[in-house]
Amino acid sequence: GGRPLVFVRGSDGEIRALYNTCSHRGAIVCRRDEGNAKTFQCFYHAWTFDNCGTLVGIPDPDGYDTPGFDRAQLGLKPVPRHESHRDFHFVCFDPEAPPLNDYLAGAREILDVVADQSLEGRMRVVSGTQRYSIRANWKLLAENSYDGYHAIPLHRTYLAYLQGSGALVTGGVAVAGGSRALGNGHAVIEYQAPWGRPVARFAPTFGEDAKREIEAIRADLFARHGEERGKRIADWNRNLGIFPNLVVNDIMAVTIRTFFPIRAGVMEVTAWELAPAEESGERLERRLHNFLEFLGPGGFATPDDVEALDSCQIGFAADGVEWSDVSRGMGREPRTDDELQMRTFWRAWRARMTDTPMPDWSDRPGKGTPR
Ligand code: FES
Ligand code: FE
């Protein structure tokens, strides 16, 4: 939410989310994006906190002899709410918010499918962060992140490259699959991947050496989860939007993306690559290659999307068109290339903006509110 936090596993083993605000006079205590530390020393006057947040060092402690000064109360403050699901940690600044499990609703099950691609059931964020900005309203990236039918016209360079290099497992981009509203404004599209997936769908561009390894992972997934779920984990893509601004796209790699408005017409985007904890060496290299090639800020796709959203913002500012149309597929069983996802997002957004109850998510004729 634009607030500085320290997210840290303490020496006691507990994972905490603490405000990264010095209890002395407010400076940012930890000024690194990542790393390991036993203590955090504030750079302003050197108050020191351990990695559980406790204040452990003050210069000139004898100077603090007033009864109101209680060192025990001056640790780094925890955020009001911090809960996790399958090692996905969420913080919330609203003490009154519902429990995480209730909030995630149907999105929980999709996160489970993502996490299950790890043999150990543990995913990790690969070190390194992508940051970029887009001159567009943040809501346009929520729409774009699970927009299933812009790929063919907008990302034609990438698709031509895949086609030319033999990296398309299927003949083209399949749009069969489904889109689902998951409650609370979350939505997902799931569809068979046209391309290779590091877990665990071989494509010729991975090279013959990778084939045996990927097939072994695949066999293991099938043994552990059964064929149907195994195939879903291995062969299917999922673009998940967790309302309002968290995206987990499990496509040719898994990206976690979040974005915040700087002002109405500018957002900042932060993205990470998520990988099975046990992955290393060539397997991890294949994943990172797949990740950067499409999703990297200089990849084949992200610049296309940035350009498209910039252009929408310019288009809206011209003031000639009052509404976006997201009605595609309202009258049929929702497909991956329909716009149920966007309607789900916008219905939740409207409910928040107007302080009205969350709507019925269904837009099938005769079932719930169509708009
Ligand atoms: Fe941190 Fe003074 S503001 S030590
Ligand atoms: Fe795109």
Side-chain angles (χ1 to χ4, degrees):
R3 305 181 202 200
L5 301 181
V6 188
F7 178 62
V8 61
R9 188 192 304 273
S11 295
D12 61 357
E14 199 178 314
I15 298 174
R16 295 178 175 82
L18 306 164
Y19 286 104
N20 191 3
T21 304
C22 187
S23 49
H24 179 217
R25 277 158 55 193
I28 302 294
V29 176
C30 174
R31 303 201 298 158
R32 301 265 178 96
D33 284 343
E34 57 184 293
N36 294 294
K38 282 209 162 46
T39 56
F40 301 105
Q41 186 171 73
C42 181
F43 74 117
Y44 196 6
H45 316 91
W47 279 31
T48 305
F49 305 85
D50 69 13
N51 59 16
C52 302
T54 310
L55 176 62
V56 292
I58 313 178
D60 187 17
D62 296 344
Y64 297 95
D65 55 1
T66 51
F69 186 86
D70 181 2
R71 264 171 92 127
Q73 298 300 314
L74 289 168
L76 296 176
K77 295 277 175 296
V79 297
R81 298 283 297 279
H82 169 204
E83 291 166 45
S84 68
H85 174 73
R86 296 287 303 266
D87 289 344
F88 291 94
H89 287 254
F90 293 77
V91 300
C92 182
F93 301 108
D94 177 5
E96 306 297 319
L100 176 67
N101 272 349
D102 294 354
Y103 183 73
L104 287 177
R108 264 197 332 261
E109 195 264 336
I110 308 296
L111 292 175
D112 290 344
V113 177
V114 173
D116 279 349
Q117 54 181 276
S118 162
L119 306 184
E120 302 167 4
R122 285 176 51 234
M123 302 291 281
R124 70 181 171 107
V125 167
V126 180
S127 183
T129 303
Q130 297 178 350
R131 291 214 169 95
Y132 51 98
S133 57
I134 308 180
R135 280 166 298 183
N137 184 271
W138 68 276
K139 298 188 284 303
L140 296 182
L141 188 57
E143 287 188 339
N144 169 271
S145 295
Y146 45 27
D147 179 324
Y149 80 100
H150 73 281
I152 293 175
L154 185 66
H155 302 312
R156 64 176 66 181
T157 311
Y158 178 68
L159 295 171
Y161 158 74
L162 289 186
Q163 199 106 44
S165 63
L168 278 187
V169 181
T170 52
V173 175
V175 288
S179 79
R180 274 178 295 142
L182 301 169
N184 288 336
H186 322 313
V188 70
I189 55 174
E190 279 197 279
Y191 50 104
Q192 185 156 41
W195 40 62
R197 286 165 50 85
V199 172
R201 181 166 169 78
F202 177 75
T205 38
F206 290 151
E208 280 304 303
D209 290 349
K211 195 168 189 171
R212 280 233 318 265
E213 192 179 19
I214 290 178
E215 277 171 5
I217 301 168
R218 190 178 174 87
D220 187 84
L221 282 176
F222 283 30
R224 277 183 300 126
H225 298 289
E227 191 169 331
E228 196 183 331
R229 187 171 175 85
K231 274 195 173 145
R232 188 175 169 208
I233 297 168
D235 293 345
W236 284 60
N237 286 341
R238 50 203 56 79
N239 297 43
L240 168 67
I242 295 180
F243 186 88
N245 63 341
L246 174 65
V247 166
V248 179
N249 279 359
D250 175 12
I251 43 181
M252 69 292 296
V254 190
T255 190
I256 306 174
R257 173 191 292 165
T258 186
F259 35 98
F260 295 97
I262 300 303
R263 50 183 185 271
V266 180
M267 76 181 102
E268 277 183 356
V269 187
T270 310
W272 300 270
E273 167 60 9
L274 191 70
E278 68 273 16
E279 226 175 65
S280 63
E282 283 178 19
R283 274 181 66 189
L284 185 59
E285 268 173 39
R286 284 198 294 277
R287 170 179 300 282
L288 293 178
H289 181 84
N290 257 26
F291 174 53
L292 288 176
E293 186 180 71
F294 186 75
L295 294 158
F300 276 109
T302 300
D304 298 341
D305 290 308
V306 170
E307 175 68 14
L309 303 194
D310 277 8
S311 112
C312 292
Q313 192 68 35
I314 293 168
F316 293 144
D319 236 4
V321 174
E322 194 178 0
W323 297 100
S324 285
D325 187 301
V326 288
S327 68
R328 181 156 149 166
M330 275 181 84
R332 64 186 177 198
E333 207 53 56
R335 304 188 331 195
T336 303
D337 56 338
D338 282 340
E339 291 170 333
L340 172 80
Q341 318 80 277
M342 295 80 178
R343 294 192 288 278
T344 305
F345 172 87
W346 283 110
R347 285 172 183 150
W349 184 80
R350 189 183 65 168
R352 294 284 171 135
M353 290 295 111
T354 56
D355 203 14
T356 50
M358 285 288 173
D360 178 343
W361 304 106
S362 163
D363 59 18
R364 297 279 296 148
K367 283 204 232 162
T369 40
R371 275 182 194 272

